[in-house]
């Protein structure tokens, strides 16, 4: 009779995964390192006082005990991480602490043949992920197929909904943000693809605006929300939900409008160049009047300096 599958195989809400959390691990280790350093400094300071001083003896006694305890905890926890944690099978669905999302999402572009992104602004993708994909493709000398799915900014209802969403998040820094980000993302992708023959990029504009963000590669899929203080979900490649999201994205891509990234010779430019003509942005087929109106803002965010996981 086959044994019943463990619940932790599908979703992790157990103590071992909490102890193995990267952000929790960093906080834990640094807390005890600081404690050890403070107690060592206290012991040294007390040693400078008179040997017969009662307070000096008391401080040295307490400091030495706390220092020994801190070192013991660090050694035991280090042994746990080294001997036990690595042998734990990662679940098909894993909850990610807010502090762990950044580390996990940075690993997705590594050693992969494809990358899917279904988002709204793709700010983080332009700032970090696209460059990682380009570097990995060049280093491994293999082709990486990248598909970006964004809401179509030329659909008025989608732009209005997006403005409401960012307004709730307190991001009221200008209008037509959906339009600006769609053009900026197209430009960033065109620049990257033109300057790396191993990077094949496609930008599609959907009739749907998602309430979440999905990053997907051979290493798994991560579903996140706008509020970076919320938990995320990571789906392994073996999870049925991975294939569900992949099929959903592929279907949405087939129903979406594709941006022509090859209508202009982007190869002669680099991200951050100030001499990129407005004709380069117009080659994507977006309304000319709006592109010209927001030209400077679009160029300034092609490779943004700030993003949610900085």
């Amino acid at each position: 009779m086959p044994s019943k599958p463990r619940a932790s195989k599908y979703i992790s809400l157990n103590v071992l995964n909490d102890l193995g959390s990267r952000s929790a691990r960093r906080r834990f280790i640094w807390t005890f390192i600081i404690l050890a350093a403070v107690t060592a400094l206290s012991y040294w300071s007390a040693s400078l006082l008179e040997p017969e001083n009662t307070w000096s003896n008391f401080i040295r006694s307490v400091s030495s005990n706390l220092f020994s305890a801190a070192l013991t905890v660090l050694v035991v926890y280090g042994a746990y991480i080294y001997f036990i944690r690595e042998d734990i099978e990662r679940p098909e669905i894993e909850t990610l602490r807010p502090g762990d999302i950044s580390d996990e999402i940075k690993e997705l572009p590594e050693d992969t043949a494809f990358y899917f992104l279904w988002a709204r602004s793709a700010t983080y993708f332009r700032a970090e992920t696209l460059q990682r994909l380009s570097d990995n493709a060049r280093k491994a000398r293999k082709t990486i197929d990248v598909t970006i799915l964004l809401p179509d900014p030329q659909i008025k209802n989608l732009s209005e909904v997006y403005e409401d969403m960012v307004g709730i998040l307190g991001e009221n820094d200008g209008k037509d943000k959906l339009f600006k980000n769609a053009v900026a993302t197209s430009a960033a992708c065109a620049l990257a693809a033109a300057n790396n023959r191993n990077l094949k990029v496609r930008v599609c504009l959907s009739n749907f605006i998602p309430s979440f963000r999905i990053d997907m590669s051979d290493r798994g899929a991560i579903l996140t929300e706008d509020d970076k203080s919320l938990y995320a979900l990571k789906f392994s490649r073996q999870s049925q939900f991975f294939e569900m999201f992949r099929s959903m994205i592929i279907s949405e891509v087939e129903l979406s409008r594709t941006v022509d990234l090859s209508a202009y010779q982007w190869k002669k430019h680099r991200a951050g160049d100030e001499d990129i003509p407005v004709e380069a942005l117009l080659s994507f087929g977006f309304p000319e009047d709006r592109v010209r109106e927001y030209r400077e803002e679009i160029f300034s965010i092609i490779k943004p300096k700030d993003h949610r996981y900085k």
Side-chain angles (χ1 to χ4, degrees):
M1 181 177 179
S3 60
K4 294 182 179 180
R6 292 173 299 156
S8 61
K9 178 182 179 183
Y10 300 101
I11 188 165
S12 61
L13 293 172
N14 54 55
V15 175
L16 291 179
N17 280 285
D18 287 339
L19 289 174
S21 165
R22 295 183 182 183
S23 60
R25 187 186 307 173
R26 283 194 294 265
R27 290 196 302 270
F28 185 91
I29 292 175
W30 277 110
T31 296
F32 281 92
I33 288 177
I34 293 172
L35 176 61
V38 169
T39 52
L41 181 61
S42 298
Y43 185 91
W44 176 78
S45 300
S47 300
L48 300 178
L49 300 176
E50 292 294 333
E52 303 300 325
N53 189 298
T54 304
W55 279 107
S56 172
N57 294 332
F58 174 76
I59 293 173
R60 281 188 295 174
S61 176
V62 173
S63 297
S64 61
N65 288 329
L66 289 177
F67 181 81
S68 300
L71 285 186
T72 301
V73 170
L74 288 172
V75 170
V76 172
Y77 188 70
Y80 160 76
I81 293 296
Y82 182 79
F83 291 108
I84 302 177
R85 174 59 187 170
E86 299 302 324
D87 293 331
I88 297 175
E89 178 184 2
R90 299 199 71 166
E92 292 183 4
I93 304 176
E94 188 175 0
T95 54
L96 297 180
R97 292 170 177 261
D100 293 334
I101 297 175
S102 177
D103 292 331
E104 294 288 348
I105 210 167
K106 287 177 181 177
E107 292 182 356
L108 282 184
E110 298 178 6
D111 193 24
T112 184
F114 77 93
Y115 198 96
F116 281 141
L117 170 68
W118 192 359
R120 293 192 293 271
S121 64
T123 304
Y124 176 75
F125 178 84
R126 297 196 306 271
E128 295 282 348
T129 306
L130 184 59
Q131 186 61 51
R132 292 177 187 276
L133 287 166
S134 181
D135 292 342
N136 291 335
R138 187 176 287 108
K139 183 178 180 180
R141 295 183 180 179
K142 71 175 184 180
T143 300
I144 300 179
D145 292 307
V146 182
T147 301
I148 314 301
L149 187 59
L150 302 174
D152 192 337
Q154 293 179 235
I155 301 177
K156 185 178 180 181
N157 289 342
L158 296 186
S159 293
E160 291 175 351
V161 171
Y162 181 74
E163 293 293 335
D164 292 338
M165 287 181 173
V166 296
I168 293 173
L169 295 171
E171 300 175 4
N172 298 312
D173 52 345
K175 63 177 183 176
D176 285 337
K177 292 188 65 174
L178 188 64
F179 180 83
K180 298 170 189 174
N181 279 297
V183 180
T185 299
S186 300
C189 290
L191 280 167
N195 291 283
N196 189 340
R197 63 181 181 179
N198 292 322
L199 195 66
K200 309 299 180 184
V201 187
R202 180 166 56 159
V203 176
C204 300
L205 303 178
S206 168
N207 296 328
F208 174 76
I209 185 164
S211 58
F212 47 79
R213 166 198 170 109
I214 300 178
D215 290 80
M216 177 179 292
S217 74
D218 281 321
R219 301 178 69 89
I222 297 178
L223 188 150
T224 55
E225 298 184 71
D226 285 316
D227 190 345
K228 59 183 180 182
S229 65
L230 298 178
Y231 278 61
L233 289 176
K234 182 177 181 180
F235 305 90
S236 74
R237 186 67 189 270
Q238 293 73 37
S239 169
Q240 60 181 343
F241 296 99
F242 178 93
E243 291 302 327
M244 180 190 74
F245 283 120
R246 184 175 183 178
S247 299
M248 183 172 65
I249 293 175
I250 291 175
S251 298
E252 190 66 27
V253 165
E254 292 175 350
L255 296 173
S256 301
R257 177 167 64 93
T258 301
V259 178
D260 186 0
L261 302 181
S262 60
Y264 177 82
Q265 293 295 323
W266 287 93
K267 193 171 184 178
K268 54 188 176 182
H269 299 294
R270 296 288 187 276
D273 286 355
E274 297 181 356
D275 60 340
I276 299 177
V278 70
E279 286 72 21
L281 301 182
L282 293 175
S283 68
F284 298 133
F286 293 101
E288 181 176 350
D289 57 337
R290 297 175 72 189
V291 171
R292 291 187 181 277
E293 179 182 358
Y294 301 125
R295 173 187 176 182
E296 298 302 325
E297 293 180 69
I298 292 171
F299 280 134
S300 68
I301 64 173
I302 287 178
K303 189 171 183 180
K305 297 179 181 179
D306 295 320
H307 54 77
R308 63 184 300 185
Y309 299 123
K310 192 170 184 179

